[in-house]
């Protein structure tokens, strides 16, 4: 009678061991998959916040700063030598010419208003004389009424109905104050919100979502779809939670994530709204790659466990046959396979981080990288020279040859600068729109000027495919003398503005303080 003893069985321990390995593997796989999902969500939050930051700083903030700068210069112009009174009451035709020259400088402004304290009024483009225009009183308009509260600062009105066009608008205005401190009147820029919103369509979001600009009450002032203007897109309760400069919030009622960046003047918020289901679908796709990799590995472990059980029985039979016959059959050797899904996803994550600091169109570093690099130099008290570069007549290039040619000009101007600066370990940044910046980590102003001049000459002498296209740029530059960053940028920007006034295609340094 044959006897059977469990102590002589080695297949059971093998199966138990593989079962333990498989269970442990499954637990580890679930833990890693869930952890990766949380990391993916955090990464996309970071990417979406960076997009919102760039949208606010490089687009919205850039436009507002440009309008505010021109408004301040124009208000200063009218405040001197009785120019406001001459424009309104002495030579209105010449006053209209000055306003039209201002209006042509700013595509985002639909019209300009100038009024004195007596209500004498001038608007460019000129309004036809009608019964309605005859009864118009500039002193009743929000941009005139608000001058008493604005001191010497420029301000934005809340949306109101334009008297002549009869549609909602927002006005940037500034009081005209004489050098002696006497209030003379008000200069107002009426913003073309439809045109400003249209340019938002050119923005490419990292994930499917909706981006727009709202007031503190949550109503839209800028939107790619102009039909959404002045609608309630963010609840007042959610707006009350936006207490920091930038961040993100989740609204459980609507199921949307809100990424925001707060502007100070005006008190607007740049908002990027993404559905939670969108992020869930993206992370599910990302983690499914890892899950499938672990599933394949689990199947392989099971197959190898079954094979090992079969092979062990075969080896035992071979040993018995060898005892009987003296022959030994050699069993084939098996190798396990392991998926590399985590590594591929980490590489993708590094690509996302790189995209967050590089401008996709020009290959330069973006505004976020500029803010970080210049802050590091200032924190370490390291001397540097800042240059701001602006392509001359860029709007005319876009209007004449189209936006595609405008993008080609931006790329090639940036490429010329990178080729000159990169051998010296100097970075070129896209500061916003057609404006670039260069940070020279040195106090050698002559060397920095020669490099910037080499860039200017290379651009000016470059031949373009489009017939009649000539591209130049103007620049301002100055050395940091431990003043606040806003003061340094203001002085360099002033030098750039003077370079434009003196005929463009030149570089001017800031005056020594």
């Amino acid at each position: 009678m044959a006897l059977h003893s469990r102590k002589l069985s080695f297949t059971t321990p093998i199966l138990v061991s593989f079962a333990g390995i498989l269970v442990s593997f499954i637990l580890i796989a679930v833990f890693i998959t869930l952890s990766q999902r949380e990391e993916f969500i955090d990464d996309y939050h970071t990417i979406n916040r960076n997009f919102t930051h760039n949208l606010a700083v490089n687009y919205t903030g850039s436009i507002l700063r440009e309008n505010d700068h021109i408004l301040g210069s124009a208000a200063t112009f009218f405040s001197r030598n009785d120019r406001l009174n001459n424009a309104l009451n002495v030579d209105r035709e010449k006053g209209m010419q000055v306003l039209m020259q201002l209006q042509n400088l700013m595509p985002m402004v639909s019209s300009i208003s100038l009024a004195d304290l007596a209500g004498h009024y001038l608007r460019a483009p000129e309004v036809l004389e009608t019964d309605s225009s005859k009864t118009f009183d500039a002193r009743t308009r929000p941009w005139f009424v608000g001058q008493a509260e604005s001191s010497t600062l420029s301000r934005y009105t809340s949306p109101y109905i334009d008297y002549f066009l009869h549609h909602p608008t927002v006005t940037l205005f500034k009081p005209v104050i004489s050098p002696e401190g006497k209030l003379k009147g008000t200069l107002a820029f009426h913003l073309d919100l439809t045109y400003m919103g249209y340019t938002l369509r050119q923005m490419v979001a990292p994930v499917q979502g909706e981006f727009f600009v709202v007031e503190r009450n949550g109503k839209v002032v800028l939107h790619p779809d102009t039909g959404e203007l002045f609608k309630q897109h963010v609840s007042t309760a959610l707006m009350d939670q936006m207490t920091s400069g930038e961040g993100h919030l989740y609204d459980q009622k609507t199921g949307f994530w809100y990424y925001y960046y707060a502007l100070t003047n005006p008190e607007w918020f740049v908002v990027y709204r993404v559905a939670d289901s969108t992020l869930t679908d993206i992370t599910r796709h990302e983690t499914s790659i890892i899950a499938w990799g672990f599933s394949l590995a689990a199947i392989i472990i099971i197959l190898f466990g079954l094979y090992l059980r079969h092979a062990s029985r075969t080896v035992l039979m071979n040993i018995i046959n060898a005892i009987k016959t003296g022959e030994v059959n050699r069993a084939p050797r098996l190798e396990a396979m392991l998926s590399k899904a985590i590594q591929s996803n980490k590489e993708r994550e590094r690509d996302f981080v790189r995209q967050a600091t590089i401008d996709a169109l020009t290959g330069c570093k973006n505004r976020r990288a500029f803010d970080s690099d210049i802050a590091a130099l200032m924190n370490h008290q390291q001397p540097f020279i800042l240059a701001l570069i602006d392509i001359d007549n860029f709007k005319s290039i876009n209007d004449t040859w189209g936006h595609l040619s405008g993008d080609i000009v931006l790329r090639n101007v940036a490429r010329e600068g990178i080729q000159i600066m990169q051998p010296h370990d100097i970075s070129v940044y896209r500061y916003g729109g057609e404006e670039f910046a260069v940070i020279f980590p040195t106090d050698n102003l002559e060397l920095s000027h020669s490099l910037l001049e080499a860039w200017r000459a290379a651009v000016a002498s470059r031949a373009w495919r489009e017939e009649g296209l000539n591209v130049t740029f103007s620049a301002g530059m100055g050395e940091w003398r431990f003043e606040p960053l806003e003061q340094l940028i203001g002085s360099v920007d002033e030098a750039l503005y003077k370079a434009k006034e003196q005929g463009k295609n030149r570089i001017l340094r800031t005056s020594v303080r």
Side-chain angles (χ1 to χ4, degrees), residues 208-255:
Q208 183 178 1
E210 183 181 13
F211 43 88
F212 45 84
V213 180
V214 298
E215 287 192 296
R216 167 53 77 178
N217 59 12
K219 292 185 178 180
V220 174
V221 291
L222 289 179
H223 197 287
D225 182 0
T226 55
E228 300 297 317
L229 288 177
F230 309 112
K231 293 183 178 179
Q232 189 80 34
H233 267 43
V234 184
S235 66
T236 54
L238 199 62
M239 292 298 303
D240 291 340
Q241 299 180 42
M242 298 182 183
T243 55
S244 58
E246 59 181 317
H248 65 281
L249 298 170
Y250 179 66
D251 186 4
Q252 293 183 347
K253 293 182 180 180
T254 60

Side-chain angles (χ1 to χ4, degrees), residues 166-199:
H166 306 294
H167 64 69
T169 186
V170 172
T171 297
L172 169 64
F173 66 95
K174 184 178 179 68
V176 178
I177 300 176
S178 70
E180 295 79 22
K182 184 178 179 181
L183 179 64
K184 290 188 172 183
T186 301
L187 179 63
F189 290 171
H190 308 295
L191 302 182
D192 189 342
L193 301 181
T194 300
Y195 183 83
M196 293 172 67
Y198 176 78
T199 58

Side-chain angles (χ1 to χ4, degrees), residues 378 480 482-489:
M378 296 180 73
W480 179 51
F482 303 99
E483 70 269 39
L485 178 59
E486 293 78 7
Q487 185 177 343
L488 173 63
I489 292 178

Side-chain angles (χ1 to χ4, degrees), residues 6 47 72 75 81 88 99 112 167 210 369 371 434-435:
R6 292 181 180 273
I47 292 169
N81 301 328
L88 294 175
L99 293 186
I112 300 176
H167 64 69
E210 183 181 13
D371 292 338
E434 69 272 19
E435 194 169 7

Side-chain angles (χ1 to χ4, degrees), residues 12 83 87 169 176 188 229 244 252 315 365-366 404 466 470 488:
T12 299
R83 290 171 179 161
T169 186
V176 178
L229 288 177
S244 58
Q252 293 183 347
V315 170
K365 290 185 176 181
N366 61 19
L404 180 59
E466 291 78 2
N470 295 308
L488 173 63

Side-chain angles (χ1 to χ4, degrees), residues 4-267:
H4 174 72
S5 174
R6 292 181 180 273
K7 294 181 180 180
L8 298 178
S9 173
F10 57 86
T11 57
T12 299
I14 291 175
L15 291 178
V16 172
S17 299
F18 267 92
I21 293 173
L22 182 61
V23 171
S24 301
F25 178 82
I26 292 174
L27 293 176
I28 294 173
V30 171
F31 173 77
I32 292 177
T33 302
L34 293 177
S35 299
Q36 285 292 303
R37 182 180 183 277
E38 293 300 322
E39 288 187 18
F40 284 134
I41 291 178
D42 290 341
D43 290 343
Y44 275 105
H45 283 327
T46 300
I47 292 169
N48 292 341
R49 285 198 304 269
N50 290 341
F51 171 75
T52 307
H53 177 95
N54 290 335
L55 184 63
V57 174
N58 294 337
Y59 172 72
T60 309
S62 176
I63 292 174
L64 298 180
R65 283 192 301 272
E66 179 181 0
N67 290 341
D68 187 71
H69 175 76
I70 296 176
L71 176 64
S73 300
T76 301
F77 171 83
F78 282 110
S79 68
R80 296 173 178 171
N81 301 328
D82 206 28
R83 290 171 179 161
L84 184 141
N85 181 63
N86 290 336
L88 294 175
N89 304 308
V90 178
D91 191 347
R92 291 177 60 86
E93 182 176 352
K94 184 177 180 180
M96 179 64 70
Q97 291 177 357
V98 173
L99 293 186
M100 283 304 300
Q101 290 174 356
L102 276 177
Q103 205 274 336
N104 291 333
L105 291 175
M106 298 172 292
M108 305 296 179
V109 173
S110 60
S111 60
I112 300 176
S113 295
L114 181 66
D116 61 14
L117 297 181
H120 299 135
Y121 172 76
L122 195 61
R123 177 185 174 109
E126 185 177 11
V127 177
L128 294 178
E129 185 172 343
T130 62
D131 293 338
S132 175
S133 64
K134 291 179 180 179
T135 61
F136 175 75
D137 187 357
R139 292 172 293 181
T140 64
R141 307 313 294 159
W143 50 266
F144 190 96
V145 174
Q147 66 179 337
E149 304 174 2
S150 62
S151 182
T152 60
L153 302 177
S154 59
R155 288 185 57 197
Y156 288 78
T157 66
S158 297
Y160 68 97
I161 301 300
D162 185 275
Y163 187 87
F164 299 103
L165 302 180
H166 306 294
H167 64 69
T169 186
V170 172
T171 297
L172 169 64
F173 66 95
K174 184 178 179 68
V176 178
I177 300 176
S178 70
E180 295 79 22
K182 184 178 179 181
L183 179 64
K184 290 188 172 183
T186 301
L187 179 63
F189 290 171
H190 308 295
L191 302 182
D192 189 342
L193 301 181
T194 300
Y195 183 83
M196 293 172 67
Y198 176 78
T199 58
L200 284 175
R201 300 181 188 178
Q202 313 304 319
M203 305 298 173
V204 179
V207 299
Q208 183 178 1
E210 183 181 13
F211 43 88
F212 45 84
V213 180
V214 298
E215 287 192 296
R216 167 53 77 178
N217 59 12
K219 292 185 178 180
V220 174
V221 291
L222 289 179
H223 197 287
D225 182 0
T226 55
E228 300 297 317
L229 288 177
F230 309 112
K231 293 183 178 179
Q232 189 80 34
H233 267 43
V234 184
S235 66
T236 54
L238 199 62
M239 292 298 303
D240 291 340
Q241 299 180 42
M242 298 182 183
T243 55
S244 58
E246 59 181 317
H248 65 281
L249 298 170
Y250 179 66
D251 186 4
Q252 293 183 347
K253 293 182 180 180
T254 60
F256 281 98
W257 286 97
Y258 290 82
Y259 305 89
Y260 67 91
Y261 185 98
L263 303 172
T264 54
N265 185 29
E267 192 176 359

